[in-house]
Structures are given as structure tokens and as C-alpha cells.
Amino acid sequence: MPMQLRGLRTFCLAAQYLSFKQTADTLCLTASAVSHQISDLEEELGVKLFTRHTRAISLTDKGAQFYQEVQRYLQA
């Protein structure tokens, strides 16, 4: 399945908030749905975008680089 705009938007919000819960609240989704969208995107890209901690997330180096590229695309 090709990368969808919805997944990229979800990724960008999660990268901004560094929170799947806050991203979910913004998109009227569950945190689990956000996590699944991010996992699907990571699988499609073949790289980890976030490091998942017990109650937090952080961008990996590849995730930060991808965020910069995607953000420019979505703003255009």
C-alpha cells in the first residue's frame, strides 16, 4: 500500500507534540490508532522514526530528517 497523506500528517503531528496521545486527541483518534499508523509508516520506509519510551516518544535521527522533508512537502 503506498504511503498516504493521512499517515504523513499523523507523523508530523506526533513529531511536533512528541506524544501519540496528544496527536490522537488532535485527530480525534485513539493513541493506539496513531501508534499503528506510525508503525505502518516505519515498516513501509524501513526505518524507525521514533524511539518509544515508557510514557514518552522521541524522534530518531532518521525521524528528525524525515520530518524536515515531509514538513516542507505538506506546507507546499
Side-chain angles (χ1 to χ4, degrees):
M1 172 185 262
M3 195 178 316
Q4 294 186 357
L5 186 58
R6 178 183 63 174
L8 294 177
R9 182 171 172 242
T10 300
F11 165 73
C12 283
L13 285 174
Q16 289 171 8
Y17 296 142
L18 293 178
S19 166
F20 288 166
K21 169 87 171 87
Q22 192 172 356
T23 300
D25 291 346
T26 299
L27 297 174
C28 298
L29 299 171
T30 64
S32 178
V34 168
S35 180
H36 284 287
Q37 284 186 27
I38 298 298
S39 292
D40 290 346
L41 183 59
E42 289 175 326
E43 187 175 322
E44 184 175 347
L45 295 171
V47 297
K48 283 288 186 193
L49 300 170
F50 291 97
T51 301
R52 289 150 174 86
H53 309 282
T54 304
R55 295 191 178 260
I57 59 171
S58 59
L59 282 167
T60 63
D61 290 340
K62 293 279 186 183
Q65 183 180 8
F66 186 65
Y67 174 65
Q68 294 300 317
E69 295 299 319
V70 171
Q71 186 179 22
R72 278 184 249 158
Y73 169 77
L74 291 177
Q75 288 176 349

